[in-house]
């Protein structure tokens, strides 16, 4: 399973180069974060990975071979790499949840019994079972996003590309999305997440690429990349709060909010009991 780009450069018809000489290996981690400010080229890179756009220079390779751009090759590719767009309305075509999710599977001629069981699993995975029979037009933005993810999950592809999965969600919806992503990751799927939501990326990813104006600014383990304040500043980003607690206040570097609070609570309690004993 290997997805890579090699000296990839890309420009839209308008002429301006949007991606510059990108050599990336999406096998460096199980959950890769593609991090960068608005307009730095994250979505454009995803389009290149899926063959929706074609680089003018360099290439995208899947399983070590350069992408083919004929219909058949792209059809095969998209069974192995599924993308969830930032805007679910770009992805949802049917008026009801189940038909929309079933669409790509029916297209592949998969047995209806298998389709139904995959849909049940995918809807459970994104906590969408309760609104599976609601018309899509009555769903909230967050619910639509979950339907779009379910539509990608049923493909059982090797890679899942999530473009700004938390954009437009309220705090509760955002936390719910993090839980869903963690669940997908726990199943062993490879995931690439594009976002400028630094706390999300820090918590979920294990390898990062940081883009600035379409150029690669930094890469590495999330714990290393996020300690480089100067670089983050150049990329128009800041440190995740858990990293700030470490660099500014000397706390151990925790990976998740849950880890931070449970450990800190425990040490506070033991401190109190020591104080009580001393009295
Ligand atoms: N269809 C398009 N035609 C021309 N320029 C585009 C198009 N889509 C995006 N761009 C430009 O490409 C750059 C990168 O955009 P995008 O990939 O959407 O960034 P991001 O996803 O990181 O916010 C921006 O300057 C944007 O204006
Ligand atoms: Mg984008």
């Amino acid at each position: 399973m290997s997805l890579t780009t090699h000296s990839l450069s890309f420009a839209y018809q308008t002429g301006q180069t949007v991606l510059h000489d990108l050599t990336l290996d999406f096998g460096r981690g199980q959950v890769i974060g593609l991090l960068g400010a608005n307009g730095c080229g994250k979505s454009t890179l995803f389009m290149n990975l899926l063959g929706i756009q074609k680089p003018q220079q360099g290439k995208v390779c899947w399983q070590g071979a350069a992408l083919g751009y004929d219909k058949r090759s792209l059809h095969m590719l998209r069974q192995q790499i599924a993308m969830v767009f930032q805007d679910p309305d770009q992805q949802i075509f049917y008026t009801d949840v189940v038909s929309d999710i079933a669409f790509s599977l029916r297209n592949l001629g998969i047995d209806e019994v298998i389709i139904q069981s995959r849909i049940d699993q995918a809807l459970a995975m994104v906590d969408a079972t309760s609104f599976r029979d609601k018309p899509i037009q009555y769903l909230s933005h967050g619910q639509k996003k979950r339907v779009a993810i379910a539509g990608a999950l049923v493909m059982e592809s090797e890679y899942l590309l999530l473009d700004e999965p938390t954009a437009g969600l309220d705090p509760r919806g955002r936390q719910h999305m993090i839980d869903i992503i963690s669940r997908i990751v726990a199943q062993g799927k490879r995931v690439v997440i594009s976002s400028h939501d630094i706390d999300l990326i820090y918590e979920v990813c294990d390898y990062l690429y940081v883009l600035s104006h379409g150029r690669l600014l930094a890469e590495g383990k999330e714990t290393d990349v996020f300690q480089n304040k100067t670089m983050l500043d150049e990329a128009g980003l800041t440190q995740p709060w858990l990293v700030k607690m470490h660099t500014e206040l000397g706390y151990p570097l925790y990976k998740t909010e849950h880890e931070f609070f449970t450990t800190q609570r425990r040490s506070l309690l033991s401190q109190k009991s020591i104080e009580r004993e001393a009295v």
Side-chain angles (χ1 to χ4, degrees):
M1 230 183 348
S2 122
L3 177 65
T4 52
T5 70
H6 303 265
S7 309
L8 178 151
S9 295
F10 174 83
Y12 284 104
Q13 249 91 22
T14 43
Q16 201 195 341
T17 303
V18 171
L19 301 174
H20 300 263
D21 195 28
L22 295 180
T23 298
L24 313 173
D25 179 353
F26 293 97
R28 296 224 163 203
Q30 193 202 340
V31 192
I32 302 259
L34 190 61
L35 192 60
N38 277 336
C40 75
K42 302 180 295 294
S43 300
T44 305
L45 178 60
F46 274 1
M47 306 280 192
N48 276 262
L49 294 179
L50 270 183
I52 297 169
Q53 298 287 0
K54 190 177 175 182
Q56 282 82 4
Q57 278 172 45
K59 59 186 176 181
V60 177
C61 290
W62 171 245
Q63 310 291 43
L67 292 195
Y69 290 87
D70 56 285
K71 220 174 156 186
R72 206 182 107 84
S73 308
L74 290 176
H75 186 68
M76 298 277 287
L77 180 76
R78 288 171 201 163
Q79 286 172 51
Q80 290 162 308
I81 306 174
M83 171 158 163
V84 180
F85 289 79
Q86 177 175 344
D87 178 7
D89 291 327
Q90 249 184 298
Q91 196 146 18
I92 297 175
F93 295 105
Y94 282 81
T95 50
D96 71 288
V97 172
V98 172
S99 308
D100 194 81
I101 299 176
F103 166 72
S104 43
L105 297 177
R106 292 202 172 118
N107 229 3
L108 291 170
I110 290 174
D111 186 273
E112 199 59 32
V113 177
I114 297 175
I115 292 181
Q116 289 308 322
S117 101
R118 282 207 205 170
I119 290 175
D120 292 346
Q121 275 174 28
L123 287 175
M125 191 75 158
V126 300
D127 298 322
T129 308
S130 64
F131 54 84
R132 64 178 288 157
D133 297 318
K134 264 198 183 176
I136 284 185
Q137 59 167 329
Y138 295 131
L139 302 184
S140 70
H141 178 71
Q143 289 174 325
K144 283 188 200 170
K145 269 193 126 113
R146 277 142 63 191
V147 170
I149 294 178
L153 288 176
V154 289
M155 296 300 288
E156 298 189 340
S157 56
E158 314 264 1
Y159 267 91
L160 191 63
L161 311 182
L162 300 175
D163 198 3
E164 309 261 8
T166 56
L169 299 181
D170 60 21
R172 195 150 152 242
R174 181 180 169 280
Q175 186 52 50
H176 194 177
M177 185 60 72
I178 295 177
D179 296 342
I180 291 169
I181 295 171
S182 308
R183 233 179 269 166
I184 294 170
V185 170
Q187 283 210 327
K189 207 177 263 297
R190 278 188 189 267
V191 181
V192 185
I193 302 175
S194 106
S195 187
H196 48 71
D197 182 340
I198 44 172
D199 293 310
L200 161 84
I201 292 278
Y202 174 68
E203 188 162 338
V204 186
C205 299
D206 54 10
Y207 198 85
L208 305 186
Y209 287 111
V210 184
L211 296 185
S212 172
H213 303 289
R215 292 175 205 277
L216 182 62
L217 198 59
E219 69 171 287
K221 294 283 303 166
E222 79 292 357
T223 38
D224 297 330
V225 166
F226 277 128
Q227 300 213 34
N228 189 343
K229 267 169 92 172
T230 324
M231 179 279 296
L232 290 173
D233 199 39
E234 197 184 333
L237 302 165
T238 59
Q239 285 184 316
W241 75 268
L242 284 164
V243 180
K244 273 189 200 157
M245 297 299 277
H246 172 66
T247 54
E248 307 284 324
L249 297 177
Y251 282 90
L253 186 55
Y254 295 106
K255 178 80 172 159
T256 64
E257 185 170 324
H258 178 76
E259 203 177 68
F260 175 85
F261 284 113
T262 44
T263 319
Q264 287 307 313
R265 201 174 291 130
R266 209 175 298 135
S267 86
L268 267 179
L269 285 175
S270 72
Q271 212 174 314
K272 273 190 193 154
S273 78
I274 291 168
E275 282 167 12
R276 216 173 294 135
E277 274 167 28
V279 173

